[in-house]
Amino acid sequence: MTAKRTGNGSTPSDIGNHAGVKGLTRDRPWLLPSNRKIRHLQGISLRNLSLSLPPTQTLKSKTADDEALPTSLITPTKALALREKKLEHSKSSNDLRTPPASRKSLDSSNGNGTLLTDPEKVRPMKGKIRRRSTLNWTNAPPQVRQKKLEDVALSRLADTWFSLHCEGMNEPVYVSEMLEKAMNFDFRFFDLNTYGPWITRRDQLNIKFWARTGSEQGYSLVLEMEVHFRSLQYIGKSLESFHHPLPLNCVLMHLSDGIYTSFTDLPLDEQVLASPKVPTNAQIAQFTSTFDELMRLSNLDDCIQDALATREKITSQINSILEKQRGNRALVQSAAQAQDSWTSSKRAVSTAQKQIGTAQARRSELQASLQARRSAMLFGTRSQEKSQSHLVAARMTLADDVSLQKETRSGVKAQMRRVCEDLLRIYPVEPIPKKALAFTIRDLPLPNATSPSVDVATTAAALGHVAHVTHLLSLYLSIHLPYPITPCGSTSTIYDPISISLQSEAARTFPLSQKGAVTYRFEYGVFLLNSNIELLMSRQGIKIVDLRHTLPNLKYLLTVLTSGGSELPERKGGRPGLGTFSREGSPAIQPEELQEVAEIQEIQQIQQPQEPQEPRRRPGRRRRRIRRWFRKWKEFSFRHTWANPLIIILLVLALYAIRPNSTNPLHSALFLSYPLLPSDPLIPATIRADPEAPVHYGKGRQDFAFVAFYIVVLSFTREFTMQRILRPMARWFQIRSISKQNRFMEQMYTAFYFGAFGPYGMYVMWRSPVWYFNTVGMYETFPNRTHEALFKAYYLLQASYWAQQALVLCLGLEKPRRDFRELVGHHIVTLALIWLSYRFHFTYMGLAVYITHDISDFFLALITTYFSIFIAVWVYLRHYINLVILYSITTTFASVGPFELNWETQQYKCTLSQYITFSLLACLQAMNIFWLYFIGRVALRVWRTGEKKDERSDDEDDYEDEGMKQNKEKAREKERALMAKHSNGTPVNGMPIGAANGYFGKENQALTANAPGNMNGDVKKRK
């Protein structure tokens, strides 16, 4: 089942004939035949795999009928034969000759790839054979026909791989991967440049293809091909435009410039016609040349001889000149070499200097690092010596501290047991005789389930006692209850802060009394109470079996808490009436009591079978790490509120630094947008006529980016200034109250800001037509669609400041005062005036309003120092100037400048804008009058008592600064940690609680609890 073919099977004459045939359209290769080497080979493909030999010319196994004619190859010889007019017999499909041997295999003994025919395996023939017929499939079932079709298809498919061999090498150069079940194979591309020039510079290669069918176990050699790269034929860049049918076992080689193959019988665009018959010499007379033609031929020969002699003469002259100039040429070459050498030396010197500089810098760094390490070692040595001196004293006090700790723990444990015994004496829980799991609290029975025969008032009173006991236990044990209890006798309630579906506070409060309440709300309240009891028991290491048994669970909890054999301590203090007494503690739990509790547990397990619970899945380590980092970042952000704005600012600056020009989208956030040319028609004519006028800017949506970015900048400036500059300054001035520190920081920051922007605004007003509140200048140049850089920057930065102040109010960064609502309204009106004035070109009026607020707010921040000046400035700017502006709106607004509404020319000064502007400024003036009332009250108090106190401020708590209370807080935290540590797992009779509870069940038993009604699943999920 092998075949051997040589890559140079076509003679060079055939190739030349085909290449010269007219009408042959094909791409030209980049590589010349002599330049094709193994290094250019990148991949190999195999088409039309056949495991048997193709039919020979003498023996055919396939008929040449009419269906095969369109796809058959028409060679030039065949085309000439077809044009001859002679009659031939057709080849019938029924007249078949004897086929060749059915199979040829490779003789494995010789190993040279020769083809051998095994006569023993040739099928004997008896007469004529028929074409394979499928008539026997007609009545076959579909499964049989499908099986036969699959067998036919599988007989043609094979698993194939190839190997590349070079002459003089025993091992293959390259072995490909094995492709399964196919006839056309596209093997993976490879790179042979790694094998060295001894392989890659060759132009000859041996290719062996190995294959096996599904019925064979081993691989057999199918095709062995000796390839000469010079004789390969170029197909094209790809096979998409190549429509010639490929022969059996066609090997395609992918070189760097296209696809090549070894066959040459390509189709022709035009058929070659038969050449006409040439008459013989006897029929046509032979002609000779004339005398003139012979003379011209002689002259031509003389010219050629003269040209040859002239060429020889010129050649000898050129050679002599070159011989004379040989020294000069050598000098020129040596000069060029010297120039190259000098350039290389200069480059080497420069490189060496750079390396020396780098080495010197590295040496300086290492010296500085060594010096820093020496200093650190010296400091560490001194610290170690100091620690050694303190270690001796610490060891002496360690034993006393350990003993004190033990005494404190035992004292806390005893006090807790004494408190629980007093609580059990006040609210005795006793069993009801001859009733399983039935108990009373203060002689009031409390059933474990709701029934119609139960007294509603008795149940409510009993639940009130249970709620009170649970509430007191949570306080004594320092355990926070998930569902807070409001004990109030028979009208006690319980609160659910966890449920998401409950919206109002009333819906989250559930009664513990059935009288006058919806049944499901009462049952849900009892369920929440039992959940609190379950939490208290789990914190003490007690397992619960049934959540619905309220009094049995409470009795169990109090019994464990009061167990112990040591003497109870005396009461150190308390409410009058309880008294202080000393007595011995209650004895340890007796076997009879343990037996009784065990019976209760067994009855509960019988009544309420336990359901296995799925083990709790701990959240992933990654999720815990993310939560931990997020919690740390949250705490850091609360302590350093300036950090997040700083990160945003640095991020924006870094992104802008990538492309620092106007094409960057962040350019509009950092700098002013819409610069205009001096000749732009939007600029007023008087400014366009001035050649020294500054650059003007228009308005647009990109100004929002500028305002948003500087809101972040002002937020960072405010928080950083207050925390890093003003708070240390307040502490330096001995201001210990945190509220007073915050007030000091707010006022100082306001003074700093308006101290800078107040003069800035006055300078901008001085450069504008509205200098010193000229109301006529506000309207005569309307609409003000463009502004210079100073004006636009001032206006947008002021907008950023007031927006940032509104953000401070929303986030609650400042403590609200009595005028909080009026302050919020003032910010809303201010932001509306800023946006409307900027959008509809009333910016000159907005400039005047800005300045009235900036200067008055500066003196408001310094009210305690310049109180009289503040009152004068406030009244003048906030009232007199604002009233002048309001009066101009009613008079000058309509009489000066255009007064119409035209959206195309952006003329918005009309009746509608007049009413809107007057309304907003009137609201602003009303708030100013409201604050003037407080200022008058402060002035009256100063005139009477001399006390300068802000009337808006509520009474503030004078608590100390966090830094001054640090030691106290640390001590409290240690005490809380100690209490929390000993609140869980309190020893009982010298054993841990879990060990003492060994009578009542197995360790780590799954808890099961069912709530009344259908709310169990939802509540457990919330817990």
Side-chain angles (χ1 to χ4, degrees):
M1 196 172 63
T2 63
K4 183 175 181 180
R5 199 166 72 199
T6 306
N8 56 357
S10 301
T11 61
S13 61
D14 295 336
I15 298 174
N17 293 335
H18 284 285
V21 175
K22 181 180 179 180
L24 186 61
T25 59
R26 188 163 297 113
D27 297 336
R28 297 183 61 183
W30 293 349
L31 298 174
L32 296 176
S34 59
N35 293 337
R36 299 173 192 154
K37 304 296 179 181
I38 293 179
R39 66 175 178 270
H40 299 129
L41 184 61
Q42 298 178 350
I44 294 178
S45 300
L46 181 63
R47 294 291 184 272
N48 301 331
L49 174 66
S50 176
L51 303 180
S52 61
L53 284 174
T56 61
Q57 295 181 359
T58 58
L59 297 177
K60 292 187 177 181
S61 61
K62 180 180 180 182
T63 60
D65 49 11
D66 296 338
E67 294 181 356
L69 286 178
T71 60
S72 62
L73 177 64
I74 302 176
T75 62
T77 305
K78 188 174 182 181
L80 292 174
L82 290 176
R83 293 186 62 84
E84 296 180 1
K85 304 298 183 179
K86 63 180 180 178
L87 182 62
E88 293 182 356
H89 293 283
S90 64
K91 299 177 182 179
S92 173
S93 302
N94 298 325
D95 190 6
L96 301 177
R97 298 179 182 180
T98 304
S102 60
R103 189 179 183 87
K104 295 181 180 181
S105 60
L106 178 68
D107 188 5
S108 60
S109 62
N110 53 18
N112 55 4
T114 59
L115 296 178
L116 300 178
T117 305
D118 189 1
E120 296 179 0
K121 295 184 179 180
V122 178
R123 187 176 63 180
M125 296 297 168
K126 296 180 180 180
K128 298 180 180 180
I129 62 173
R130 293 174 55 84
R131 178 186 294 178
R132 181 180 297 175
S133 175
T134 59
L135 294 177
N136 55 349
W137 295 10
T138 305
N139 297 325
Q143 294 81 357
V144 176
R145 296 180 64 185
Q146 180 67 23
K147 179 63 178 176
K148 291 184 177 181
L149 290 174
E150 292 178 357
D151 294 340
V152 171
L154 291 176
S155 64
R156 296 176 178 270
L157 304 180
D159 302 340
T160 307
W161 55 277
F162 72 89
S163 59
L164 304 180
H165 303 265
C166 289
E167 185 178 358
M169 297 183 64
N170 297 329
E171 297 296 330
V173 176
Y174 175 78
V175 178
S176 71
E177 74 278 6
M178 190 267 290
L179 300 181
E180 300 179 351
K181 305 300 181 184
M183 294 182 63
N184 299 321
F185 302 91
D186 290 323
F187 295 96
R188 187 185 301 120
F189 278 33
F190 48 81
D191 185 11
L192 300 178
N193 291 324
T194 58
Y195 294 97
W198 188 67
I199 299 295
T200 57
R201 293 183 180 178
R202 298 188 180 190
D203 60 350
Q204 186 177 355
L205 188 67
N206 188 9
I207 306 176
K208 295 182 181 180
F209 286 90
W210 307 80
R212 69 173 182 184
T213 60
S215 60
E216 297 180 354
Q217 298 295 330
Y219 291 92
S220 59
L221 182 64
V222 177
L223 177 63
E224 182 177 0
M225 185 175 182
E226 191 75 24
V227 179
H228 294 272
F229 284 83
R230 295 189 177 186
S231 61
L232 293 179
Q233 186 167 358
Y234 183 73
I235 294 178
K237 294 295 182 181
S238 63
L239 295 176
E240 296 179 356
S241 60
F242 185 75
H243 306 290
H244 174 59
L246 301 175
L248 297 178
N249 296 332
C250 179
V251 180
L252 302 178
M253 279 159 283
H254 300 266
L255 271 66
S256 60
D257 61 338
I259 302 175
Y260 291 79
T261 186
S262 62
F263 70 93
T264 59
D265 292 337
L266 295 178
L268 302 178
D269 294 344
E270 297 181 0
Q271 295 182 355
V272 181
L273 303 178
S275 61
K277 295 181 179 180
V278 180
T280 61
N281 296 333
Q283 298 175 355
I284 302 176
Q286 300 293 329
F287 295 96
T288 183
S289 300
T290 62
F291 180 76
D292 294 336
E293 292 176 349
L294 293 176
M295 290 301 293
R296 286 197 298 270
L297 181 61
S298 177
N299 293 333
L300 180 60
D301 184 62
D302 293 339
C303 293
I304 292 174
Q305 294 300 325
D306 293 340
L308 292 175
T310 304
R311 187 186 65 178
E312 292 295 335
K313 183 178 180 181
I314 293 173
T315 301
S316 62
Q317 291 177 357
I318 292 174
N319 290 334
S320 63
I321 292 172
L322 292 177
E323 186 67 24
K324 293 178 181 180
Q325 298 294 333
R326 180 178 296 177
N328 297 335
R329 287 190 288 110
L331 182 61
V332 172
Q333 292 178 359
S334 62
Q337 293 177 359
Q339 181 70 22
D340 294 340
S341 177
W342 177 79
T343 304
S344 301
S345 301
K346 184 178 180 181
R347 188 182 301 109
V349 170
S350 177
T351 304
Q353 289 177 354
K354 292 181 180 179
Q355 293 177 355
I356 291 172
T358 305
Q360 290 178 353
R362 178 59 178 168
R363 184 187 62 181
S364 301
E365 292 178 0
L366 292 177
Q367 289 177 353
S369 177
L370 290 175
Q371 184 63 29
R373 292 182 182 181
R374 291 191 184 98
S375 301
M377 292 174 61
L378 181 60
F379 179 77
T381 303
R382 293 177 180 176
S383 300
Q384 185 177 5
E385 293 175 356
K386 186 177 180 180
S387 301
Q388 290 292 340
S389 62
H390 292 300
L391 183 61
V392 178
R395 287 177 179 174
M396 296 176 62
T397 59
L398 178 62
D400 298 337
D401 295 340
V402 171
S403 61
L404 180 61
Q405 183 183 13
K406 292 181 179 180
E407 293 177 1
T408 305
R409 287 182 178 179
S410 61
V412 170
K413 174 186 173 183
Q415 289 290 345
M416 189 63 64
R417 187 160 56 88
R418 183 193 58 75
V419 170
C420 292
E421 284 201 359
D422 293 343
L423 191 61
L424 186 59
R425 183 178 297 103
I426 298 172
Y427 292 99
V429 180
E430 301 295 339
I432 300 177
K434 299 181 181 180
K435 287 187 179 181
L437 296 176
F439 289 83
T440 62
I441 182 170
R442 291 186 64 87
D443 299 332
L444 296 176
L446 179 62
N448 295 325
T450 305
S451 61
S453 59
V454 177
D455 187 9
V456 176
T458 304
T459 303
L463 287 175
H465 295 331
V466 174
H468 194 198
V469 173
T470 306
H471 177 69
L472 294 177
L473 284 176
S474 67
L475 298 178
Y476 296 153
L477 299 176
S478 299
I479 299 175
H480 177 72
L481 297 178
Y483 307 104
I485 300 173
T486 305
C488 190
S490 59
T491 59
S492 301
T493 58
I494 191 168
Y495 183 74
D496 182 10
I498 302 175
S499 300
I500 302 176
S501 59
L502 303 177
Q503 301 297 332
S504 62
E505 296 293 329
R508 292 180 179 272
T509 303
F510 295 91
L512 294 178
S513 174
Q514 195 174 2
K515 183 178 180 181
V518 184
T519 304
Y520 84 89
R521 289 182 58 81
F522 166 71
E523 293 179 352
Y524 189 70
V526 175
F527 168 73
L528 297 181
L529 179 61
N530 292 331
S531 300
N532 288 337
I533 298 175
E534 179 191 10
L535 176 65
L536 296 177
M537 296 179 69
S538 64
R539 291 295 180 86
Q540 301 302 321
I542 305 173
K543 295 182 291 294
I544 186 172
V545 178
D546 196 339
L547 184 67
R548 295 173 298 178
H549 296 171
T550 305
L551 284 181
N553 294 334
L554 185 61
K555 175 66 175 179
Y556 188 15
L557 175 61
L558 292 173
T559 302
V560 172
L561 290 175
T562 57
S563 62
S566 60
E567 181 180 357
L568 291 178
E570 297 182 357
R571 184 186 299 273
K572 296 183 178 180
R575 296 173 53 188
L578 294 178
T580 58
F581 52 89
S582 175
R583 56 185 175 82
E584 293 187 357
S586 58
I589 299 177
Q590 300 299 326
E592 294 80 10
E593 295 180 359
L594 295 176
Q595 183 67 25
E596 181 181 356
V597 177
E599 292 176 358
I600 293 174
Q601 295 284 341
E602 291 177 358
I603 296 173
Q604 289 178 348
Q605 293 178 2
I606 294 173
Q607 292 182 356
Q608 183 64 36
Q610 296 182 356
E611 297 179 359
Q613 287 186 347
E614 296 182 0
R616 295 181 180 178
R617 297 180 180 179
R618 296 182 178 180
R621 183 179 301 174
R622 184 178 181 182
R623 187 183 302 173
R624 292 196 301 269
R625 188 183 298 111
I626 293 174
R627 289 178 179 175
R628 182 170 62 254
W629 281 106
F630 178 74
R631 184 169 59 253
K632 290 182 179 179
W633 175 251
K634 186 177 179 181
E635 295 174 357
F636 179 82
S637 300
F638 278 127
R639 291 196 303 268
H640 309 284
T641 53
W642 50 268
N644 291 332
L646 179 60
I647 292 175
I648 297 174
I649 294 170
L650 295 178
L651 180 62
V652 172
L653 293 177
L655 294 176
Y656 179 76
I658 297 174
R659 191 175 57 191
N661 50 43
S662 58
T663 60
N664 194 319
L666 296 177
H667 184 272
S668 58
L670 298 174
F671 306 98
L672 297 177
S673 303
Y674 307 107
L676 302 176
L677 296 175
S679 60
D680 196 281
L682 292 177
I683 303 175
T686 56
I687 299 177
R688 290 201 304 267
D690 186 4
E692 297 181 359
V695 179
H696 275 237
Y697 291 80
K699 303 175 184 178
R701 296 181 179 178
Q702 294 182 3
D703 294 334
F704 285 101
F706 184 91
V707 173
F709 177 75
Y710 281 95
I711 287 175
V712 179
V713 173
L714 290 175
S715 300
F716 164 74
T717 305
R718 180 185 186 276
E719 298 302 322
F720 185 85
T721 304
M722 293 176 63
Q723 294 186 12
R724 296 298 179 182
I725 300 176
L726 298 179
R727 188 180 293 277
M729 187 184 299
R731 292 174 179 172
W732 186 78
F733 285 114
Q734 298 299 321
I735 301 176
R736 298 186 178 182
S737 173
I738 292 183
S739 59
K740 292 182 179 179
Q741 288 182 3
N742 293 335
R743 183 61 178 165
F744 173 81
M745 293 187 298
E746 294 168 6
Q747 296 295 99
M748 290 301 296
Y749 174 77
T750 304
F752 288 161
Y753 177 85
F754 289 115
F757 272 78
Y760 182 20
M762 294 296 293
Y763 177 75
V764 172
M765 177 185 280
W766 177 72
R767 295 173 59 89
S768 66
V770 294
W771 166 238
Y772 207 74
F773 309 105
N774 181 17
T775 56
V776 176
M778 298 177 185
Y779 314 114
E780 61 182 0
T781 59
F782 187 87
N784 310 118
R785 293 176 292 182
T786 63
H787 298 287
E788 61 181 0
L790 289 174
F791 189 101
K792 184 175 181 179
Y794 173 79
Y795 211 92
L796 295 181
L797 288 175
Q798 285 284 74
S800 301
Y801 172 79
W802 288 105
Q804 189 265 341
Q805 286 297 107
L807 187 64
V808 169
L809 287 180
C810 295
L811 297 179
L813 298 180
E814 292 184 0
K815 182 178 180 180
R817 301 179 182 275
R818 294 179 182 178
D819 60 338
F820 178 79
R821 296 180 180 178
E822 290 78 12
L823 191 60
V824 172
H826 177 269
H827 280 74
I828 294 174
V829 174
T830 302
L831 292 177
L833 281 171
I834 292 172
W835 183 79
L836 292 174
S837 63
Y838 189 79
R839 170 62 181 84
F840 297 102
H841 313 311
F842 292 95
T843 49
Y844 283 161
M845 185 185 299
L847 174 63
V849 177
Y850 269 149
I851 294 175
T852 59
H853 283 70
D854 291 353
I855 298 176
S856 59
D857 285 340
F858 172 79
F859 286 97
L860 176 61
L862 304 176
I863 185 174
T864 56
T865 307
Y866 307 100
F867 182 74
S868 58
I869 299 176
F870 159 71
I871 294 177
V873 172
W874 179 277
V875 173
Y876 177 76
L877 294 177
R878 291 287 186 106
H879 297 278
Y880 174 76
I881 297 298
N882 281 353
L883 291 175
V884 170
I885 296 174
L886 285 172
Y887 179 77
S888 68
I889 293 174
T890 60
T891 57
T892 317
F893 188 93
S895 59
V896 177
F899 191 74
E900 62 176 353
L901 178 60
N902 191 339
W903 294 91
E904 295 180 357
T905 59
Q906 299 185 19
Q907 294 287 347
Y908 305 119
K909 193 160 72 71
C910 59
T911 305
L912 179 61
S913 60
Q914 183 180 17
Y915 288 156
I916 294 175
T917 306
F918 185 86
S919 300
L920 292 175
L921 287 177
C923 293
L924 201 62
Q925 184 60 29
M927 296 176 190
N928 292 334
I929 294 174
F930 171 78
W931 283 314
L932 183 62
Y933 166 74
F934 285 102
I935 294 172
R937 294 185 58 179
V938 174
L940 184 60
R941 182 182 294 107
V942 171
W943 180 67
R944 289 182 177 178
T945 62
E947 179 184 3
K948 298 178 182 179
K949 182 179 180 182
D950 193 351
E951 285 289 328
R952 303 172 300 161
S953 301
D954 295 327
D955 293 333
E956 299 173 342
D957 298 330
D958 293 335
Y959 51 93
E960 293 180 355
D961 184 16
E962 293 292 336
M964 300 180 180
K965 296 170 55 179
Q966 186 176 5
N967 295 332
K968 295 182 180 179
E969 288 296 331
K970 287 184 178 180
R972 293 177 182 175
E973 289 295 333
K974 290 182 179 179
E975 183 178 357
R976 293 193 192 99
L978 185 62
M979 294 296 295
K981 181 178 180 181
H982 294 287
S983 61
N984 298 331
T986 304
V988 179
N989 292 335
M991 298 185 298
I993 289 181
N997 294 337
Y999 295 97
F1000 308 113
K1002 298 180 180 180
E1003 293 293 329
N1004 299 326
Q1005 187 176 4
L1007 302 178
T1008 56
N1010 296 325
N1014 59 354
M1015 299 184 183
N1016 181 27
D1018 296 338
V1019 176
K1020 295 297 285 182
K1021 290 180 181 178
R1022 290 194 299 270
K1023 292 179 62 180

